[in-house]
Amino acid sequence: MPNIVIVGALFGDEGKGKIVDILTENADYVARFQGGHNAGHTVEIGSEQFILHLIPSGILRENAVAVIGNGVVIDPAALLKEIELLENQKIKVAGRLIVSTHAHVIFPYHQLLDELREDKKGSKKIGTTKRGIGPAYADKVARTGIRMIDLMNKSIFREKLQHNLEEKNTILKSVYNVSPLSVDKLFNEYCEYAERLSQYVKNVPLILNEAILKGKNVLFEGAQGTMLDVDFGTYPYVTSSNPTAGGACIGTGVAPSCIDEVIGVTKAYSTRVGEGPFPTEFFGDFAEWFRQEAKEYGATTGRPRRCGWFDAVLMRYSVLINRLDSIAITKLDVLDGLKTIKICTAYKYKGTTIEAFPGDAEVITQCEPIYEELSGWQTPTSHIRSYEELPKKAKAYIQRLLDLTGVRLKILSVGPKREETIILDA
Ligand code: GDP
Ligand code: IMO
Ligand code: MG
């Protein structure tokens, strides 16, 4: 298999976990390159459901080594809990997981600041997962972050922690009137995590590049989605990393020349969790009915996801930014019962029609979608295993999505389970 990057094409939760699990059958390494435990990737195998937050979904198949790259921010307590949960579900993690020495560590002050900042923003909040992701990336860029390798050296770790806490405690006290955190308590807690995680901490760029040179392949598992990218998404309503294809290189130390293929994952409709512009969003009774039918509740926070029609404007942008070779469309089955289905083909903005993503969140908020309406197929699709057997109207809907976005279809998912998948070209 070539080296493939899997990205969320839009607002996250597109079904990346399921698609990564399918492709891991032929993968040697599966690497997460950004985000943290804000992600929730669901994989259903038989009657079991797995929700991965930090560990790549590829861990579920024995043939693959799971890698957490330098671009990921790690809450050690969350990672240890995930390892334990997986082992309870009979998934072997020891000896199959590698964590980058250079990945940055999330501390309780990051999580606290995430929460306090959100609460202070009131109606202007971002709607973060409150996992401390943004503040941890902020420290990384400010060059005050603490990396996994630092945790492994007690004197370096203590010095950095002490320095950070002096500043964080001042902010906590003076801006938010919150009690200071104890250096000793945090130091002891994190030294214990370090001891338990040390077996996994390795030189990821070296391991991955040597593997690639030997002809092994890497599947890069994106978290979040293109519209949540800190540079290319609906800023400031974004996450704090780069979920787009370029992030795979920066977040693992594998060069662009090693990437053979990029696949974007999208639902057959759209969802967004958290605040920020969402032009095709449903409202009212239909929104509530659809959410329940589609089971659109967050895999990490359990929050109700906002749902809407497929947006070809955003998808064209995603194809461009990620240079998608192909897409995987998931949750087609959710649309099975609908009489008619809409697709947003362009936006109306101040009387003019725009077909390209306007970039600015303020402008998008004022855009009105222009819809094309297609008739639904109103028949189940979850049992179908070949594209040809799909109802004619389902094929017409998919073809229209592809024509409007100029991209090829590689995988079609018609249910959450592994077998509920149609692969168009192997
Ligand atoms: P991710 O974050 O991109 O991995 O996606 P999530 O796991 O957060 O959300 C996707 C949800 O859709 C999960 O509950 C999956 O089990 C489910 N899912 C994935 N593909 C399909 C599909 O084709 N049909 C249905 N009905 N559910 C799906
Ligand atoms: P997966 O990998 C959907 C959203 C949050 C919020 C914004 C910033 O499962 O697709 P953060 O906690 O990252 O600072 O929150 O990003 N968000 C996600 N939305 N799927 C995710 O991950 C997300 N991770 C973060 O809801 O709007
Ligand atoms: Mg998710």
Side-chain angles (χ1 to χ4, degrees):
M1 193 170 82
N3 298 319
I4 302 176
V5 179
I6 302 293
V7 292
L10 297 168
F11 296 106
D13 299 330
E14 299 93 343
K16 298 175 293 293
K18 171 177 169 168
I19 301 302
V20 167
D21 173 63
I22 299 285
L23 294 172
T24 301
E25 192 175 2
N26 299 310
D28 298 313
Y29 292 83
V30 181
R32 272 281 303 272
F33 54 88
Q34 45 69 233
H37 65 314
N38 48 351
H41 297 179
T42 316
V43 182
E44 288 193 19
I45 306 169
S47 58
E48 278 205 277
Q49 187 189 62
F50 299 86
I51 300 180
L52 288 309
H53 298 285
L54 266 168
I55 300 178
S57 309
I59 194 86
L60 302 177
R61 296 205 190 238
E62 275 180 12
N63 53 290
V65 174
V67 178
I68 298 180
N70 56 282
V72 175
V73 283
I74 299 175
D75 179 329
L79 179 55
L80 284 163
K81 190 172 147 207
E82 198 167 327
I83 294 172
E84 197 183 317
L85 278 175
L86 282 171
E87 293 201 323
N88 287 343
Q89 284 182 285
K90 306 273 176 293
I91 303 295
K92 193 173 168 288
V93 179
R96 298 189 48 230
L97 173 69
I98 299 172
V99 176
S100 173
T101 48
H102 287 32
H104 280 248
V105 180
I106 297 180
F107 285 88
Y109 49 80
H110 293 130
Q111 202 238 320
L112 202 53
L113 283 170
D114 194 357
E115 212 170 289
L116 292 165
R117 278 180 191 154
E118 279 285 275
D119 292 347
K120 201 163 191 241
K121 280 192 184 125
S123 65
K124 293 246 184 300
K125 70 174 188 215
I126 290 163
T128 75
T129 58
K130 298 190 174 173
R131 299 292 192 268
I133 306 295
Y137 278 115
D139 276 2
K140 170 178 175 172
V141 180
R143 293 156 296 177
T144 56
I146 297 175
R147 304 187 294 181
M148 290 304 289
I149 190 77
D150 300 322
L151 278 196
M152 306 296 143
N153 181 321
K154 284 192 178 176
S155 65
I156 290 179
F157 172 41
R158 192 169 177 107
E159 193 191 320
K160 291 194 174 190
L161 183 66
Q162 187 137 11
H163 179 265
N164 281 359
L165 269 182
E166 270 167 30
E167 190 197 32
K168 302 296 182 207
N169 279 338
T170 311
I171 296 172
L172 287 174
K173 179 86 197 69
S174 60
V175 182
Y176 300 103
N177 202 20
V178 167
S179 319
L181 300 172
S182 145
V183 179
D184 286 338
K185 192 167 168 277
L186 269 190
F187 178 73
N188 291 334
E189 184 185 333
Y190 273 67
C191 281
E192 199 195 311
Y193 296 149
E195 212 165 287
R196 292 168 65 193
L197 288 172
S198 65
Q199 61 172 309
Y200 303 107
V201 180
K202 301 203 168 117
N203 185 337
V204 166
L206 190 74
I207 293 169
L208 288 184
N209 281 296
E210 279 185 348
I212 290 170
L213 282 171
K214 283 185 189 144
K216 304 272 186 204
N217 67 61
V218 185
L219 182 62
F220 297 86
E221 176 175 348
Q224 290 81 54
T226 303
M227 303 314 302
L228 294 174
D229 187 289
V230 67
D231 287 288
F232 302 109
T234 53
Y235 191 91
Y237 300 100
V238 292
T239 191
S240 302
S241 65
N242 292 111
T244 43
C249 297
I250 296 295
T252 56
V254 172
S257 50
C258 297
I259 307 294
D260 302 301
E261 201 177 323
V262 184
I263 304 175
V265 185
T266 177
K267 283 171 181 157
Y269 51 96
S270 310
T271 62
R272 172 166 206 164
V273 59
E275 307 304 314
F278 184 13
T280 63
E281 183 170 8
F282 302 147
F283 292 101
D285 291 347
F286 180 69
E288 193 46 48
W289 173 83
F290 188 94
R291 180 182 301 122
Q292 283 182 25
E293 285 289 302
K295 300 196 182 83
E296 290 294 356
Y297 298 90
T300 295
T301 57
R303 289 179 293 177
R305 292 177 183 148
R306 300 156 68 192
C307 302
W309 299 117
F310 185 88
D311 187 331
V313 178
L314 298 186
M315 194 62 198
R316 280 195 288 269
Y317 176 69
S318 182
V319 170
L320 186 90
I321 289 292
N322 297 297
R323 262 287 172 233
L324 299 180
D325 293 292
S326 63
I327 57 171
I329 298 178
T330 63
K331 301 196 92 162
L332 183 78
D333 53 296
V334 167
L335 304 181
D336 284 350
L338 297 183
K339 239 189 202 143
T340 56
I341 305 170
K342 288 183 187 172
I343 306 173
C344 166
T345 56
Y347 296 151
K348 188 117 254 118
Y349 175 66
K350 292 190 172 166
T352 61
T353 301
I354 46 178
E355 293 191 347
F357 176 63
D360 184 36
E362 268 313 304
V363 177
I364 305 163
T365 311
Q366 294 169 51
C367 284
E368 255 193 60
I370 298 173
Y371 288 118
E372 190 173 295
E373 196 166 72
L374 278 75
S375 53
W377 45 97
Q378 295 194 280
T379 169
T381 54
S382 279
H383 62 286
I384 294 175
R385 297 291 174 268
S386 85
Y387 192 80
E388 290 65 39
E389 286 168 38
L390 284 171
K392 231 172 145 181
K393 286 177 178 167
K395 280 191 273 193
Y397 175 69
I398 294 164
Q399 194 52 53
R400 190 67 188 129
L401 300 190
L402 300 178
D403 289 345
L404 282 165
T405 53
V407 71
R408 198 164 58 86
L409 178 66
K410 180 151 180 154
I411 300 173
L412 183 66
S413 174
V414 289
K417 298 203 185 307
R418 262 184 187 168
E419 61 276 15
E420 291 168 327
T421 311
I422 299 169
I423 299 187
L424 281 93
D425 56 41

